[in-house]
Amino acid sequence: MVRIKKWQTLKEEGVDLFPHRAEITHSVTQVKKEFESLSAEELEKDGIRVSVAGRILTVRKMGRATFFHLGDALSRLQAYLRQDKVGPTEYQRFSLLDIGDIICIKGRLFRTRTGELTVLVEKYKFLAKCFHPLPEKWHGLQDVELRYRKRYLDLIINPESARVFWLRSALIAEIRKFFDERGYIEVETPMMQTIPGGALARPFKTFHNALGIDLYLRIAPELYLKRLVVGGFEKVYEINRNFRNEGISSQHNPEFTMLEFYEAYKDYHDMMEMTEELLVHLAQKLLGKLEITYGEHQISLQRPWKRIKFRQALVEYSGLSPAKLADKSAVIELASQLASEKTPLSYGKALDVLFDKQVKPRLIQPTFVINPPKEISPLAKSSPENPDEAERFELVIAGMEIANAFSELTDPIEQKKRFEQQAEERRKGDEETHPIDLDYVQALEYGLPPTGGEGIGIDRLTMILANKQSIREVILFPLLRPKD
RNA sequence: GGGCCGUUAGCUCAGAGGGAGAGCACCGGCCUUUUAAGCCGGGUGUCGCUGGUUCGAGUCCAGCACGGCUCACCA
């Protein structure tokens, strides 16, 4: 292989093939940021010298002078290498390098005839060999599978991909700041649980050898966070992974990142206010605007957002009359047609199916859908005006559920009853019910203050802000079937 | 899991029964402000895998693998 041979030649010429460090003054991105605004004259006058390391991305050789670009994940910087600057030995040695190799250069900044900020190289140092040719320079790496399997190649070659993950990182940092400034404590609760509660979903199962017990990867941190509110952490949040053993789609990855936060003395109306505040803040801070593009849609995050009752939404978007909606057997009948071969649906689940199918996809602008059936909300307080409804909302943007919140159920007796109802549903054949967690009930018996709680899907929020249609575009290493 | 589509050079893709193609990348040569640098020369391949049909299969058929979109379930 040609690249290996070149690399061996470097060794024969006494070049250190695995250097331990490089003396740099700037990253490629820093140079761009700091000096891009300076004119050719200013650069000439100031004589700014920099030492920058990066990957060789392009090379244009013209006899005794060569132009090339060094890149990091976000930007690229041009360099100009001349034989009369570095001498014939070093100049010729440069042809032993390949696109993809990592080097460090030192030199003065100037602007070329066409105006590009460029380093006039005085010295360069080999740092790492790239033994494989990089994907092509102007189509980049298109193959979606390869982009996910070899994410490093994607990041090297497609600046748009790197941009998404910088955005994601900034998003999470900003969320932390938001909660920290409001006096919240950030915590970590078990990822491995003996009772997988806090949501209705199938868990991953594993086994602890020393204890000889089954464990489940958590489907939500909810019950632990509320135990902490009982313990006096009145404002608490966690940003961490959840695991659900269910289908994979453009909106679902088996492990995904969730923000959950709980605040004592608040209810779900307060959570709506806070959600608007948080998302508006994030959009403003990260994108500098509230009118955003998502696929073919224009989405406005201008407050206040639409609030609509769950039942009202069903009437408005599914075209069912209120009378028809109240007819339990008719609703169940209709829903089971939509949800093929599902185990017998309860009335509440049937309504939920209709909502998911017929309403959710049509909610493009941010919409709080409030007061869904109590039956599908075993951890939420019921509404004082209508005991069949829960004090709960789902936030839908671009047809995706982004957030889910409620006034937490604080009554231990009622909570135990709800758990038992769930167990009853399970006996009837529903696999997605909430397991009974008596330890949690006991925590409630010590007194959980009125509390508002909410979960926000970080991956989906990133999708909205980064304008990506697939969750795999915002997860560095999405789950793929192993090859071979 | 179902349906539709895809898999050809390192990358991006064309090729539709007669024996493997282009651009970029790569190799050799020329070139001291280029930037999709240019000019001359060079094809580097398990056509996803396994069978089948055929004188002959990258091309047609079947099965399998992996992926994409979509439906179903979920957030």
Side-chain angles (χ1 to χ4, degrees), chain A residues 143-174:
Chain A
D143 185 309
V144 178
E145 182 183 358
L146 257 186
R147 287 185 43 233
Y148 299 155
R149 286 195 194 277
K150 299 187 196 260
R151 183 65 90 178
Y152 48 90
L153 280 183
D154 183 37
L155 295 173
I156 290 169
I157 218 76
N158 299 328
E160 168 60 15
S161 286
R163 185 196 69 94
V164 169
F165 293 104
W166 280 96
L167 179 75
R168 181 179 173 128
S169 168
L171 174 84
I172 292 172
E174 205 53 52

PDB file of all heavy atoms in Angstrom, chain A residues 143-174:
ATOM      1  N   ASP A 143     -23.296   8.039   1.951  1.00  0.00           N
ATOM      2  CA  ASP A 143     -23.867   6.762   2.368  1.00  0.00           C
ATOM      3  C   ASP A 143     -24.267   6.825   3.849  1.00  0.00           C
ATOM      4  O   ASP A 143     -23.425   6.908   4.730  1.00  0.00           O
ATOM      5  CB  ASP A 143     -22.823   5.665   2.142  1.00  0.00           C
ATOM      6  CG  ASP A 143     -23.386   4.288   2.443  1.00  0.00           C
ATOM      7  OD1 ASP A 143     -23.961   4.105   3.525  1.00  0.00           O
ATOM      8  OD2 ASP A 143     -23.250   3.405   1.597  1.00  0.00           O
ATOM      9  N   VAL A 144     -25.580   6.808   4.083  1.00  0.00           N
ATOM     10  CA  VAL A 144     -26.095   7.042   5.426  1.00  0.00           C
ATOM     11  C   VAL A 144     -25.573   5.999   6.409  1.00  0.00           C
ATOM     12  O   VAL A 144     -25.162   6.316   7.523  1.00  0.00           O
ATOM     13  CB  VAL A 144     -27.638   7.036   5.402  1.00  0.00           C
ATOM     14  CG1 VAL A 144     -28.195   7.230   6.784  1.00  0.00           C
ATOM     15  CG2 VAL A 144     -28.136   8.133   4.478  1.00  0.00           C
ATOM     16  N   GLU A 145     -25.567   4.760   5.980  1.00  0.00           N
ATOM     17  CA  GLU A 145     -25.094   3.691   6.858  1.00  0.00           C
ATOM     18  C   GLU A 145     -23.640   3.918   7.266  1.00  0.00           C
ATOM     19  O   GLU A 145     -23.277   3.834   8.435  1.00  0.00           O
ATOM     20  CB  GLU A 145     -25.233   2.345   6.151  1.00  0.00           C
ATOM     21  CG  GLU A 145     -24.800   1.192   7.025  1.00  0.00           C
ATOM     22  CD  GLU A 145     -24.870  -0.139   6.306  1.00  0.00           C
ATOM     23  OE1 GLU A 145     -25.297  -0.159   5.135  1.00  0.00           O
ATOM     24  OE2 GLU A 145     -24.497  -1.141   6.920  1.00  0.00           O
ATOM     25  N   LEU A 146     -22.798   4.233   6.272  1.00  0.00           N
ATOM     26  CA  LEU A 146     -21.383   4.475   6.558  1.00  0.00           C
ATOM     27  C   LEU A 146     -21.197   5.668   7.479  1.00  0.00           C
ATOM     28  O   LEU A 146     -20.343   5.666   8.355  1.00  0.00           O
ATOM     29  CB  LEU A 146     -20.630   4.734   5.246  1.00  0.00           C
ATOM     30  CG  LEU A 146     -19.792   3.602   4.694  1.00  0.00           C
ATOM     31  CD1 LEU A 146     -19.009   4.087   3.482  1.00  0.00           C
ATOM     32  CD2 LEU A 146     -18.834   3.074   5.762  1.00  0.00           C
ATOM     33  N   ARG A 147     -22.023   6.694   7.285  1.00  0.00           N
ATOM     34  CA  ARG A 147     -21.912   7.884   8.124  1.00  0.00           C
ATOM     35  C   ARG A 147     -22.162   7.531   9.577  1.00  0.00           C
ATOM     36  O   ARG A 147     -21.530   8.079  10.471  1.00  0.00           O
ATOM     37  CB  ARG A 147     -22.911   8.959   7.670  1.00  0.00           C
ATOM     38  CG  ARG A 147     -22.503   9.628   6.340  1.00  0.00           C
ATOM     39  CD  ARG A 147     -23.443  10.778   5.988  1.00  0.00           C
ATOM     40  NE  ARG A 147     -23.714  11.569   7.168  1.00  0.00           N
ATOM     41  CZ  ARG A 147     -24.919  11.870   7.614  1.00  0.00           C
ATOM     42  NH1 ARG A 147     -25.975  11.476   6.960  1.00  0.00           N
ATOM     43  NH2 ARG A 147     -25.063  12.583   8.695  1.00  0.00           N
ATOM     44  N   TYR A 148     -23.095   6.605   9.842  1.00  0.00           N
ATOM     45  CA  TYR A 148     -23.379   6.227  11.224  1.00  0.00           C
ATOM     46  C   TYR A 148     -22.354   5.237  11.757  1.00  0.00           C
ATOM     47  O   TYR A 148     -21.947   5.297  12.902  1.00  0.00           O
ATOM     48  CB  TYR A 148     -24.781   5.616  11.332  1.00  0.00           C
ATOM     49  CG  TYR A 148     -25.899   6.535  10.920  1.00  0.00           C
ATOM     50  CD1 TYR A 148     -27.109   6.035  10.461  1.00  0.00           C
ATOM     51  CD2 TYR A 148     -25.747   7.921  10.981  1.00  0.00           C
ATOM     52  CE1 TYR A 148     -28.145   6.877  10.083  1.00  0.00           C
ATOM     53  CE2 TYR A 148     -26.777   8.775  10.599  1.00  0.00           C
ATOM     54  CZ  TYR A 148     -27.974   8.239  10.144  1.00  0.00           C
ATOM     55  OH  TYR A 148     -28.993   9.065   9.769  1.00  0.00           O
ATOM     56  N   ARG A 149     -21.949   4.292  10.912  1.00  0.00           N
ATOM     57  CA  ARG A 149     -21.016   3.264  11.375  1.00  0.00           C
ATOM     58  C   ARG A 149     -19.634   3.841  11.609  1.00  0.00           C
ATOM     59  O   ARG A 149     -18.935   3.436  12.522  1.00  0.00           O
ATOM     60  CB  ARG A 149     -20.930   2.124  10.364  1.00  0.00           C
ATOM     61  CG  ARG A 149     -22.145   1.229  10.371  1.00  0.00           C
ATOM     62  CD  ARG A 149     -21.880  -0.060   9.633  1.00  0.00           C
ATOM     63  NE  ARG A 149     -23.121  -0.760   9.348  1.00  0.00           N
ATOM     64  CZ  ARG A 149     -23.763  -1.551  10.208  1.00  0.00           C
ATOM     65  NH1 ARG A 149     -23.268  -1.738  11.404  1.00  0.00           N
ATOM     66  NH2 ARG A 149     -24.887  -2.134   9.853  1.00  0.00           N
ATOM     67  N   LYS A 150     -19.202   4.729  10.719  1.00  0.00           N
ATOM     68  CA  LYS A 150     -17.892   5.355  10.864  1.00  0.00           C
ATOM     69  C   LYS A 150     -18.116   6.840  11.066  1.00  0.00           C
ATOM     70  O   LYS A 150     -17.786   7.650  10.192  1.00  0.00           O
ATOM     71  CB  LYS A 150     -17.030   5.099   9.633  1.00  0.00           C
ATOM     72  CG  LYS A 150     -16.768   3.624   9.397  1.00  0.00           C
ATOM     73  CD  LYS A 150     -15.767   3.463   8.262  1.00  0.00           C
ATOM     74  CE  LYS A 150     -15.767   2.060   7.740  1.00  0.00           C
ATOM     75  NZ  LYS A 150     -14.715   1.216   8.210  1.00  0.00           N
ATOM     76  N   ARG A 151     -18.666   7.180  12.211  1.00  0.00           N
ATOM     77  CA  ARG A 151     -19.032   8.569  12.459  1.00  0.00           C
ATOM     78  C   ARG A 151     -17.814   9.484  12.344  1.00  0.00           C
ATOM     79  O   ARG A 151     -17.927  10.633  11.930  1.00  0.00           O
ATOM     80  CB  ARG A 151     -19.682   8.692  13.834  1.00  0.00           C
ATOM     81  CG  ARG A 151     -20.158  10.074  14.147  1.00  0.00           C
ATOM     82  CD  ARG A 151     -21.294  10.538  13.243  1.00  0.00           C
ATOM     83  NE  ARG A 151     -22.597  10.189  13.785  1.00  0.00           N
ATOM     84  CZ  ARG A 151     -23.745  10.517  13.191  1.00  0.00           C
ATOM     85  NH1 ARG A 151     -23.762  11.184  12.050  1.00  0.00           N
ATOM     86  NH2 ARG A 151     -24.886  10.160  13.724  1.00  0.00           N
ATOM     87  N   TYR A 152     -16.617   8.973  12.708  1.00  0.00           N
ATOM     88  CA  TYR A 152     -15.431   9.820  12.627  1.00  0.00           C
ATOM     89  C   TYR A 152     -15.207  10.322  11.211  1.00  0.00           C
ATOM     90  O   TYR A 152     -14.820  11.470  11.000  1.00  0.00           O
ATOM     91  CB  TYR A 152     -14.198   9.086  13.157  1.00  0.00           C
ATOM     92  CG  TYR A 152     -14.017   7.684  12.599  1.00  0.00           C
ATOM     93  CD1 TYR A 152     -13.279   7.459  11.444  1.00  0.00           C
ATOM     94  CD2 TYR A 152     -14.608   6.591  13.222  1.00  0.00           C
ATOM     95  CE1 TYR A 152     -13.128   6.186  10.937  1.00  0.00           C
ATOM     96  CE2 TYR A 152     -14.463   5.308  12.718  1.00  0.00           C
ATOM     97  CZ  TYR A 152     -13.720   5.115  11.561  1.00  0.00           C
ATOM     98  OH  TYR A 152     -13.587   3.853  11.041  1.00  0.00           O
ATOM     99  N   LEU A 153     -15.480   9.464  10.218  1.00  0.00           N
ATOM    100  CA  LEU A 153     -15.313   9.906   8.833  1.00  0.00           C
ATOM    101  C   LEU A 153     -16.332  10.982   8.494  1.00  0.00           C
ATOM    102  O   LEU A 153     -16.018  11.981   7.841  1.00  0.00           O
ATOM    103  CB  LEU A 153     -15.515   8.731   7.872  1.00  0.00           C
ATOM    104  CG  LEU A 153     -14.345   7.785   7.691  1.00  0.00           C
ATOM    105  CD1 LEU A 153     -14.690   6.727   6.645  1.00  0.00           C
ATOM    106  CD2 LEU A 153     -13.109   8.554   7.252  1.00  0.00           C
ATOM    107  N   ASP A 154     -17.548  10.770   8.931  1.00  0.00           N
ATOM    108  CA  ASP A 154     -18.605  11.744   8.732  1.00  0.00           C
ATOM    109  C   ASP A 154     -18.196  13.105   9.294  1.00  0.00           C
ATOM    110  O   ASP A 154     -18.352  14.139   8.663  1.00  0.00           O
ATOM    111  CB  ASP A 154     -19.869  11.210   9.415  1.00  0.00           C
ATOM    112  CG  ASP A 154     -21.073  12.110   9.229  1.00  0.00           C
ATOM    113  OD1 ASP A 154     -21.204  12.683   8.118  1.00  0.00           O
ATOM    114  OD2 ASP A 154     -21.880  12.223  10.159  1.00  0.00           O
ATOM    115  N   LEU A 155     -17.630  13.072  10.505  1.00  0.00           N
ATOM    116  CA  LEU A 155     -17.261  14.327  11.169  1.00  0.00           C
ATOM    117  C   LEU A 155     -16.082  15.002  10.480  1.00  0.00           C
ATOM    118  O   LEU A 155     -16.021  16.225  10.395  1.00  0.00           O
ATOM    119  CB  LEU A 155     -16.923  14.060  12.644  1.00  0.00           C
ATOM    120  CG  LEU A 155     -18.097  13.575  13.497  1.00  0.00           C
ATOM    121  CD1 LEU A 155     -17.616  13.169  14.883  1.00  0.00           C
ATOM    122  CD2 LEU A 155     -19.177  14.637  13.600  1.00  0.00           C
ATOM    123  N   ILE A 156     -15.141  14.193   9.969  1.00  0.00           N
ATOM    124  CA  ILE A 156     -13.987  14.769   9.272  1.00  0.00           C
ATOM    125  C   ILE A 156     -14.443  15.473   8.007  1.00  0.00           C
ATOM    126  O   ILE A 156     -14.013  16.578   7.694  1.00  0.00           O
ATOM    127  CB  ILE A 156     -12.972  13.664   8.889  1.00  0.00           C
ATOM    128  CG1 ILE A 156     -12.287  13.113  10.129  1.00  0.00           C
ATOM    129  CG2 ILE A 156     -11.937  14.200   7.901  1.00  0.00           C
ATOM    130  CD1 ILE A 156     -11.476  11.858   9.848  1.00  0.00           C
ATOM    131  N   ILE A 157     -15.345  14.824   7.294  1.00  0.00           N
ATOM    132  CA  ILE A 157     -15.593  15.239   5.918  1.00  0.00           C
ATOM    133  C   ILE A 157     -16.845  16.103   5.767  1.00  0.00           C
ATOM    134  O   ILE A 157     -16.923  16.915   4.863  1.00  0.00           O
ATOM    135  CB  ILE A 157     -15.659  13.968   5.024  1.00  0.00           C
ATOM    136  CG1 ILE A 157     -15.012  14.237   3.682  1.00  0.00           C
ATOM    137  CG2 ILE A 157     -17.053  13.435   4.870  1.00  0.00           C
ATOM    138  CD1 ILE A 157     -13.531  14.255   3.723  1.00  0.00           C
ATOM    139  N   ASN A 158     -17.830  15.937   6.644  1.00  0.00           N
ATOM    140  CA  ASN A 158     -19.082  16.695   6.510  1.00  0.00           C
ATOM    141  C   ASN A 158     -19.239  17.705   7.642  1.00  0.00           C
ATOM    142  O   ASN A 158     -19.669  17.348   8.730  1.00  0.00           O
ATOM    143  CB  ASN A 158     -20.292  15.754   6.508  1.00  0.00           C
ATOM    144  CG  ASN A 158     -20.265  14.763   5.356  1.00  0.00           C
ATOM    145  OD1 ASN A 158     -19.768  15.064   4.276  1.00  0.00           O
ATOM    146  ND2 ASN A 158     -20.801  13.581   5.586  1.00  0.00           N
ATOM    147  N   PRO A 159     -18.909  18.961   7.388  1.00  0.00           N
ATOM    148  CA  PRO A 159     -18.973  19.970   8.453  1.00  0.00           C
ATOM    149  C   PRO A 159     -20.371  20.097   9.038  1.00  0.00           C
ATOM    150  O   PRO A 159     -20.531  20.403  10.216  1.00  0.00           O
ATOM    151  CB  PRO A 159     -18.578  21.279   7.741  1.00  0.00           C
ATOM    152  CG  PRO A 159     -18.037  20.886   6.419  1.00  0.00           C
ATOM    153  CD  PRO A 159     -18.484  19.509   6.099  1.00  0.00           C
ATOM    154  N   GLU A 160     -21.407  19.846   8.231  1.00  0.00           N
ATOM    155  CA  GLU A 160     -22.783  19.947   8.710  1.00  0.00           C
ATOM    156  C   GLU A 160     -23.033  18.950   9.852  1.00  0.00           C
ATOM    157  O   GLU A 160     -23.726  19.273  10.818  1.00  0.00           O
ATOM    158  CB  GLU A 160     -23.760  19.714   7.550  1.00  0.00           C
ATOM    159  CG  GLU A 160     -25.216  19.511   7.929  1.00  0.00           C
ATOM    160  CD  GLU A 160     -25.839  20.694   8.673  1.00  0.00           C
ATOM    161  OE1 GLU A 160     -25.249  21.793   8.658  1.00  0.00           O
ATOM    162  OE2 GLU A 160     -26.908  20.508   9.273  1.00  0.00           O
ATOM    163  N   SER A 161     -22.455  17.759   9.742  1.00  0.00           N
ATOM    164  CA  SER A 161     -22.633  16.779  10.816  1.00  0.00           C
ATOM    165  C   SER A 161     -22.000  17.272  12.102  1.00  0.00           C
ATOM    166  O   SER A 161     -22.599  17.194  13.175  1.00  0.00           O
ATOM    167  CB  SER A 161     -22.009  15.447  10.426  1.00  0.00           C
ATOM    168  OG  SER A 161     -22.805  14.823   9.478  1.00  0.00           O
ATOM    169  N   ALA A 162     -20.781  17.764  11.995  1.00  0.00           N
ATOM    170  CA  ALA A 162     -20.093  18.261  13.183  1.00  0.00           C
ATOM    171  C   ALA A 162     -20.896  19.408  13.797  1.00  0.00           C
ATOM    172  O   ALA A 162     -21.050  19.487  15.015  1.00  0.00           O
ATOM    173  CB  ALA A 162     -18.690  18.725  12.821  1.00  0.00           C
ATOM    174  N   ARG A 163     -21.454  20.255  12.958  1.00  0.00           N
ATOM    175  CA  ARG A 163     -22.231  21.396  13.444  1.00  0.00           C
ATOM    176  C   ARG A 163     -23.384  20.934  14.344  1.00  0.00           C
ATOM    177  O   ARG A 163     -23.640  21.513  15.399  1.00  0.00           O
ATOM    178  CB  ARG A 163     -22.796  22.190  12.256  1.00  0.00           C
ATOM    179  CG  ARG A 163     -23.527  23.462  12.666  1.00  0.00           C
ATOM    180  CD  ARG A 163     -24.385  24.012  11.527  1.00  0.00           C
ATOM    181  NE  ARG A 163     -25.525  23.160  11.215  1.00  0.00           N
ATOM    182  CZ  ARG A 163     -26.752  23.308  11.707  1.00  0.00           C
ATOM    183  NH1 ARG A 163     -27.014  24.256  12.511  1.00  0.00           N
ATOM    184  NH2 ARG A 163     -27.739  22.492  11.388  1.00  0.00           N
ATOM    185  N   VAL A 164     -24.063  19.864  13.927  1.00  0.00           N
ATOM    186  CA  VAL A 164     -25.202  19.363  14.695  1.00  0.00           C
ATOM    187  C   VAL A 164     -24.784  18.973  16.110  1.00  0.00           C
ATOM    188  O   VAL A 164     -25.470  19.260  17.079  1.00  0.00           O
ATOM    189  CB  VAL A 164     -25.836  18.152  13.982  1.00  0.00           C
ATOM    190  CG1 VAL A 164     -26.841  17.461  14.899  1.00  0.00           C
ATOM    191  CG2 VAL A 164     -26.498  18.587  12.692  1.00  0.00           C
ATOM    192  N   PHE A 165     -23.613  18.327  16.216  1.00  0.00           N
ATOM    193  CA  PHE A 165     -23.216  17.853  17.542  1.00  0.00           C
ATOM    194  C   PHE A 165     -22.665  18.973  18.412  1.00  0.00           C
ATOM    195  O   PHE A 165     -22.755  18.910  19.635  1.00  0.00           O
ATOM    196  CB  PHE A 165     -22.263  16.669  17.400  1.00  0.00           C
ATOM    197  CG  PHE A 165     -22.978  15.479  16.819  1.00  0.00           C
ATOM    198  CD1 PHE A 165     -22.801  15.119  15.490  1.00  0.00           C
ATOM    199  CD2 PHE A 165     -23.894  14.786  17.578  1.00  0.00           C
ATOM    200  CE1 PHE A 165     -23.503  14.062  14.945  1.00  0.00           C
ATOM    201  CE2 PHE A 165     -24.609  13.725  17.040  1.00  0.00           C
ATOM    202  CZ  PHE A 165     -24.409  13.363  15.721  1.00  0.00           C
ATOM    203  N   TRP A 166     -22.123  19.999  17.783  1.00  0.00           N
ATOM    204  CA  TRP A 166     -21.757  21.180  18.565  1.00  0.00           C
ATOM    205  C   TRP A 166     -23.019  21.875  19.065  1.00  0.00           C
ATOM    206  O   TRP A 166     -23.079  22.352  20.207  1.00  0.00           O
ATOM    207  CB  TRP A 166     -20.910  22.149  17.740  1.00  0.00           C
ATOM    208  CG  TRP A 166     -19.482  21.721  17.673  1.00  0.00           C
ATOM    209  CD1 TRP A 166     -18.891  21.005  16.677  1.00  0.00           C
ATOM    210  CD2 TRP A 166     -18.473  21.936  18.661  1.00  0.00           C
ATOM    211  NE1 TRP A 166     -17.577  20.762  16.984  1.00  0.00           N
ATOM    212  CE2 TRP A 166     -17.290  21.327  18.188  1.00  0.00           C
ATOM    213  CE3 TRP A 166     -18.450  22.583  19.893  1.00  0.00           C
ATOM    214  CZ2 TRP A 166     -16.097  21.349  18.911  1.00  0.00           C
ATOM    215  CZ3 TRP A 166     -17.255  22.607  20.609  1.00  0.00           C
ATOM    216  CH2 TRP A 166     -16.092  21.990  20.110  1.00  0.00           C
ATOM    217  N   LEU A 167     -24.029  21.894  18.237  1.00  0.00           N
ATOM    218  CA  LEU A 167     -25.298  22.486  18.647  1.00  0.00           C
ATOM    219  C   LEU A 167     -25.894  21.697  19.809  1.00  0.00           C
ATOM    220  O   LEU A 167     -26.365  22.260  20.787  1.00  0.00           O
ATOM    221  CB  LEU A 167     -26.279  22.524  17.474  1.00  0.00           C
ATOM    222  CG  LEU A 167     -27.650  23.114  17.802  1.00  0.00           C
ATOM    223  CD1 LEU A 167     -27.571  24.629  17.913  1.00  0.00           C
ATOM    224  CD2 LEU A 167     -28.692  22.734  16.766  1.00  0.00           C
ATOM    225  N   ARG A 168     -25.859  20.383  19.690  1.00  0.00           N
ATOM    226  CA  ARG A 168     -26.392  19.537  20.747  1.00  0.00           C
ATOM    227  C   ARG A 168     -25.668  19.787  22.068  1.00  0.00           C
ATOM    228  O   ARG A 168     -26.280  19.897  23.124  1.00  0.00           O
ATOM    229  CB  ARG A 168     -26.268  18.061  20.351  1.00  0.00           C
ATOM    230  CG  ARG A 168     -26.835  17.139  21.392  1.00  0.00           C
ATOM    231  CD  ARG A 168     -26.749  15.671  21.006  1.00  0.00           C
ATOM    232  NE  ARG A 168     -27.160  14.886  22.154  1.00  0.00           N
ATOM    233  CZ  ARG A 168     -28.078  13.931  22.144  1.00  0.00           C
ATOM    234  NH1 ARG A 168     -28.654  13.601  21.019  1.00  0.00           N
ATOM    235  NH2 ARG A 168     -28.405  13.313  23.233  1.00  0.00           N
ATOM    236  N   SER A 169     -24.359  19.872  21.987  1.00  0.00           N
ATOM    237  CA  SER A 169     -23.564  20.121  23.184  1.00  0.00           C
ATOM    238  C   SER A 169     -23.920  21.468  23.809  1.00  0.00           C
ATOM    239  O   SER A 169     -24.108  21.591  25.021  1.00  0.00           O
ATOM    240  CB  SER A 169     -22.080  20.074  22.816  1.00  0.00           C
ATOM    241  OG  SER A 169     -21.297  20.575  23.869  1.00  0.00           O
ATOM    242  N   ALA A 170     -24.049  22.480  22.957  1.00  0.00           N
ATOM    243  CA  ALA A 170     -24.402  23.815  23.460  1.00  0.00           C
ATOM    244  C   ALA A 170     -25.794  23.802  24.072  1.00  0.00           C
ATOM    245  O   ALA A 170     -26.055  24.455  25.089  1.00  0.00           O
ATOM    246  CB  ALA A 170     -24.326  24.834  22.323  1.00  0.00           C
ATOM    247  N   LEU A 171     -26.688  23.050  23.466  1.00  0.00           N
ATOM    248  CA  LEU A 171     -28.060  22.940  23.964  1.00  0.00           C
ATOM    249  C   LEU A 171     -28.072  22.386  25.392  1.00  0.00           C
ATOM    250  O   LEU A 171     -28.709  22.939  26.290  1.00  0.00           O
ATOM    251  CB  LEU A 171     -28.859  22.014  23.040  1.00  0.00           C
ATOM    252  CG  LEU A 171     -30.270  21.656  23.478  1.00  0.00           C
ATOM    253  CD1 LEU A 171     -31.234  22.744  23.056  1.00  0.00           C
ATOM    254  CD2 LEU A 171     -30.709  20.323  22.912  1.00  0.00           C
ATOM    255  N   ILE A 172     -27.341  21.308  25.602  1.00  0.00           N
ATOM    256  CA  ILE A 172     -27.323  20.673  26.908  1.00  0.00           C
ATOM    257  C   ILE A 172     -26.652  21.586  27.940  1.00  0.00           C
ATOM    258  O   ILE A 172     -27.124  21.732  29.067  1.00  0.00           O
ATOM    259  CB  ILE A 172     -26.640  19.293  26.824  1.00  0.00           C
ATOM    260  CG1 ILE A 172     -27.536  18.356  26.008  1.00  0.00           C
ATOM    261  CG2 ILE A 172     -26.379  18.715  28.210  1.00  0.00           C
ATOM    262  CD1 ILE A 172     -26.919  17.016  25.677  1.00  0.00           C
ATOM    263  N   ALA A 173     -25.568  22.231  27.512  1.00  0.00           N
ATOM    264  CA  ALA A 173     -24.890  23.158  28.430  1.00  0.00           C
ATOM    265  C   ALA A 173     -25.839  24.282  28.840  1.00  0.00           C
ATOM    266  O   ALA A 173     -25.890  24.680  30.007  1.00  0.00           O
ATOM    267  CB  ALA A 173     -23.640  23.725  27.752  1.00  0.00           C
ATOM    268  N   GLU A 174     -26.604  24.770  27.885  1.00  0.00           N
ATOM    269  CA  GLU A 174     -27.522  25.880  28.145  1.00  0.00           C
ATOM    270  C   GLU A 174     -28.668  25.444  29.054  1.00  0.00           C
ATOM    271  O   GLU A 174     -29.117  26.213  29.903  1.00  0.00           O
ATOM    272  CB  GLU A 174     -28.041  26.405  26.799  1.00  0.00           C
ATOM    273  CG  GLU A 174     -28.496  27.845  26.806  1.00  0.00           C
ATOM    274  CD  GLU A 174     -27.442  28.801  27.346  1.00  0.00           C
ATOM    275  OE1 GLU A 174     -26.280  28.774  26.862  1.00  0.00           O
ATOM    276  OE2 GLU A 174     -27.775  29.557  28.255  1.00  0.00           O
TER     277      GLU A 174
END
